[in-house]
Amino acid sequence: MQSPAKQWLRRSIRGLLASLCLAAVMFISTGYIVYRQAQRAELRPVDALLVLGAAQWDGEPSPVLEARLTEAIRLYRLGYARRIIVSGGTGLNDTRSEASVAYDYLIEHSIDPTLIISVAQGRDTRSTLLAVHDEMQRQQIDSLLIVTDPPHLLRALKMAHDYGITSFGAPVKANSPTTNWASIKATSREALAYLAYVLLDQ
């Protein structure tokens, strides 16, 4: 007969292994959902396109931001929406917000400035979407196509839905990972971020 200490140790090990297996299943399942959402364009007519912010470099959009803006322009010209919301606050040591740089880029590409809405608040997806939600209420905008990188879509859509925003995904294919390893890393990172949001509210 085993001693109580050994029985406790065995139970603890079994519990730990069960917890690790459960965590692995959750992570893999979430990664699969992230990947599936990244492949799915939910294009349909909406009130506005939302370009989620990304880095700007000395007043010029970074390649990631430029690709998002290029896709938004394409969707706008195809008639999916008549307004474009650009978003993103001012990063550390920056003098301009991501939204202001995006606004200028759209004007340079012949988008009517009266149809552009700039939301220059937010340092991450959550705070940006909260600021966008408030602006949507002021502007009487009810639905969005969210224009962002494919791996980012699931988390962005989940947050938007949680904040009462009717939204659909418009993945920027130009910003898709270019290798299998890059895809695995991006999907894993977003799976962890999604689980942190859902389980820990972070």
Side-chain angles (χ1 to χ4, degrees):
M1 182 175 177
Q2 289 183 334
S3 67
K6 287 185 177 180
Q7 291 178 359
W8 176 84
L9 180 59
R10 290 188 65 181
R11 286 196 298 268
S12 298
I13 292 173
R14 286 198 296 266
L16 176 60
L17 291 175
S19 298
L20 290 174
C21 288
L22 177 60
V25 169
M26 289 179 60
F27 176 70
I28 292 170
S29 299
T30 302
Y32 177 73
I33 299 170
V34 167
Y35 177 80
R36 286 294 301 273
Q37 181 67 64
Q39 309 307 309
R40 188 164 63 244
E42 304 168 331
L43 304 182
R44 65 200 68 196
V46 291
D47 293 334
L49 304 167
L50 169 62
V51 181
L52 286 178
Q56 61 84 24
W57 297 343
D58 296 325
E60 297 294 330
S62 65
V64 170
L65 180 56
E66 184 173 8
R68 294 181 187 183
L69 292 166
T70 299
E71 178 65 6
I73 291 169
R74 185 183 77 86
L75 296 174
Y76 168 81
R77 289 177 175 160
L78 288 173
Y80 284 103
R82 292 303 302 162
R83 288 187 280 184
I84 302 176
I85 302 173
V86 292
S87 65
T90 304
L92 186 65
N93 299 323
D94 286 341
T95 58
R96 295 191 59 187
S97 68
E98 295 164 1
S100 69
V101 171
Y103 181 92
D104 289 349
Y105 184 91
L106 292 180
I107 292 175
E108 290 168 4
H109 287 76
S110 303
I111 303 298
D112 183 345
T114 65
L115 301 177
I116 306 171
I117 300 169
S118 179
V119 179
Q121 293 86 39
R123 297 290 296 275
D124 53 25
T125 303
R126 172 184 289 194
S127 57
T128 295
L129 285 171
L130 285 171
V132 167
H133 176 264
D134 292 343
E135 188 63 27
M136 287 176 66
Q137 292 184 318
R138 285 191 287 269
Q139 300 279 350
Q140 296 185 321
I141 294 171
D142 295 322
S143 58
L144 299 175
L145 274 176
I146 297 181
V147 182
T148 190
D149 301 348
H152 186 218
L153 265 179
L154 181 69
R155 183 160 55 97
L157 288 168
K158 169 63 175 171
M159 288 182 176
H161 292 161
D162 287 350
Y163 302 151
I165 301 172
T166 300
S167 55
F168 308 94
V172 181
K173 296 301 185 183
N175 285 343
S176 297
T178 56
T179 65
N180 289 338
W181 178 238
S183 179
I184 291 170
K185 287 199 299 183
T187 300
S188 298
R189 182 170 59 249
E190 277 300 325
L192 288 173
Y194 182 85
L195 287 171
Y197 170 69
V198 172
L199 300 177
L200 304 175
D201 195 31
Q202 292 184 353

